[in-house]
């Protein structure tokens, strides 16, 4: 089973979530990245992490992400972000330590987006998450 | 254990409508999956995700056990009455079920409600298709 240590490089994107900010699919939040490294590489694995192992639990928050390329073609569409969780203690980890494997070339992170299904807001305790892209 | 490498994925919702035993609900036409090759499939329940992307309530984990799926290739039912619970990654130690490059005839494929004990009207079952 591949794990993160087999990849040479990783780009970590940090997202600041506004507390109690509801949104839905009609108003997705675009990733804002000043670094276009992902557009030049092929991402091989993706992992989600919160702020400090053991201190976050997404529960069943309906959080979805879509990554697109420069042509705005969706590479992965409405992917449950919790499926990226490798933290074994989270109630919806992918069994723990199973890094999800991908072959995603040239992700345009600025045109990619995430959203929470309608009617669900964020509590004040979760305001940062990281996505690790291994390539 | 071999696990798939996702090249592309697409999440599809199937709304159960008014539930009834042996009711079959066909998949809708999904242009992105038309002519594509499917090699991995996951399902999700409300234990993992409280709402679908369209804001509908997903079935429960127990509800997945009351649903089966039949996937058609051409006119052949190549995957027949597969328990949807078997595709639920958190229920199978995080693994993703892999399929041998199937060009699904999605609109002829369908979900069957085997029991109404744990599913409710207008709940949805979500399928995440890995494709190329």
């Amino acid at each position: 089973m591949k794990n993160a240590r087999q990849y040479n490089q990783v780009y970590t994107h940090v997202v600041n979530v506004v507390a109690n900010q509801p949104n839905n699919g009609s108003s997705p939040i675009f990733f804002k990245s000043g670094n276009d490294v992902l557009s030049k590489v092929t991402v091989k694995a993706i992992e989600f992490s919160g702020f400090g192992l053991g201190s976050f639990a997404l529960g069943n928050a309906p959080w979805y992400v879509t990554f697109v390329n420069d042509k705005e073609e969706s590479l992965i569409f409405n992917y449950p972000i919790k499926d990226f969780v490798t933290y074994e203690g989270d109630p919806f980890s992918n069994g723990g330590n199973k890094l999800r494997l991908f072959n995603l070339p040239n992700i345009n992170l600025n045109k990619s987006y995430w959203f929470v299904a309608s009617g669900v807001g964020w509590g004040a305790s979760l305001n940062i998450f990281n996505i690790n892209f291994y390539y | 254990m071999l696990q798939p490498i996702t090249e592309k994925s697409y999440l599809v919702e199937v709304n159960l409508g008014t539930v009834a035993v042996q009711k079959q609900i066909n998949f809708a036409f999904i242009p992105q999956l038309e002519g594509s090759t499917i090699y991995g499939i996951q399902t999700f329940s409300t234990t993992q995700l409280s709402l679908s992307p369209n804001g509908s309530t997903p079935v429960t984990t127990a509800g997945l056990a009351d649903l089966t799926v039949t996937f058609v290739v051409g006119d052949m039912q190549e995957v027949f009455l597969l328990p949807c619970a078997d595709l639920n990654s958190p229920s199978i130690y995080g693994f993703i079920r892999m399929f041998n490059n199937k060009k699904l005839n999605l609109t002829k494929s369908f979900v069957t409600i085997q029991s109404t004990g744990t599913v409710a009207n207008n709940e949805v079952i979500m399928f995440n298709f890995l494709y190329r």
Side-chain angles (χ1 to χ4, degrees):
Chain A
M1 181 72 62
K2 284 185 182 290
N3 60 50
R5 290 170 291 181
Q6 295 185 11
Y7 299 98
N8 290 327
Q9 301 183 77
V10 57
Y11 170 70
T12 297
H13 185 77
V14 179
V15 177
N16 287 301
V17 180
V18 176
N20 295 314
Q21 174 189 25
N23 63 68
N24 57 44
S26 65
S27 56
I29 298 176
F30 289 88
F31 292 100
K32 296 175 185 175
S33 174
N35 189 328
D36 64 350
V37 62
L38 296 185
S39 67
K40 302 170 186 173
V41 301
T42 297
V43 170
K44 298 294 189 180
I46 300 175
E47 180 181 37
F48 167 91
S49 64
F51 49 99
L53 290 176
S55 62
F56 80 94
L58 288 178
N60 60 352
W63 192 352
Y64 301 93
V65 65
T66 294
F67 291 123
V68 303
N69 58 19
D70 279 334
K71 300 176 185 176
E72 299 193 33
E73 299 166 329
S74 68
L75 299 172
I76 61 173
F77 177 77
N78 282 357
Y79 197 99
I81 201 167
K82 292 191 67 178
D83 197 58
F84 297 142
V85 172
T86 54
Y87 171 54
E88 196 163 350
D90 189 273
F92 178 51
S93 70
N94 48 27
N97 73 23
K98 287 187 181 61
L99 195 62
R100 288 299 189 214
L101 306 180
F102 294 84
N103 189 40
L104 303 179
N106 312 121
I107 295 174
N108 187 318
L109 202 54
N110 285 321
K111 293 183 178 179
S112 301
Y113 58 89
W114 62 277
F115 69 93
V116 182
S118 63
V120 178
W122 292 105
S125 60
L126 179 62
N127 54 16
I128 297 175
F129 68 90
N130 304 324
I131 301 180
N132 299 327
F133 299 91
Y134 296 92
Y135 62 95
Chain B
M1 169 115 17
L2 182 65
Q3 276 292 270
I5 295 174
T6 301
E7 297 182 21
K8 290 185 178 180
S9 73
Y10 199 95
L11 189 73
V12 175
E13 299 181 37
V14 177
N15 194 307
L16 300 181
T18 302
V19 298
V21 176
Q22 292 302 306
K23 177 180 180 180
Q24 295 181 353
I25 308 101
N26 286 67
F27 286 80
F29 176 71
I30 306 293
Q32 290 84 349
L33 298 180
E34 181 69 11
S36 64
T37 300
I38 308 293
Y39 60 95
I41 305 174
Q42 295 172 285
T43 59
F44 302 100
S45 74
T46 191
T47 301
Q48 292 94 53
L49 299 157
S50 62
L51 289 173
S52 75
N54 288 327
S56 300
T57 302
V59 297
T60 62
T61 299
L64 285 177
D66 282 342
L67 301 173
T68 58
V69 63
T70 296
F71 289 118
V72 176
V73 177
D75 290 322
M76 297 290 294
Q77 295 179 342
E78 292 198 359
V79 177
F80 184 67
L81 297 181
L82 176 68
C84 293
D86 194 60
L87 300 173
N88 184 236
S89 288
S91 298
I92 51 174
Y93 297 96
F95 289 105
I96 298 174
R97 289 291 186 216
M98 299 175 66
F99 294 80
N100 189 19
N101 296 323
K102 296 199 174 293
K103 286 195 173 183
L104 298 184
N105 189 331
L106 207 52
T107 55
K108 287 192 175 182
S109 304
F110 54 89
V111 171
T112 306
I113 301 175
Q114 301 295 346
S115 169
T116 58
T118 51
V119 293
N121 293 339
N122 298 314
E123 286 183 338
V124 298
I125 174 170
M126 294 184 284
F127 292 86
N128 192 40
F129 291 101
L130 278 54
Y131 70 101
R132 57 173 69 94

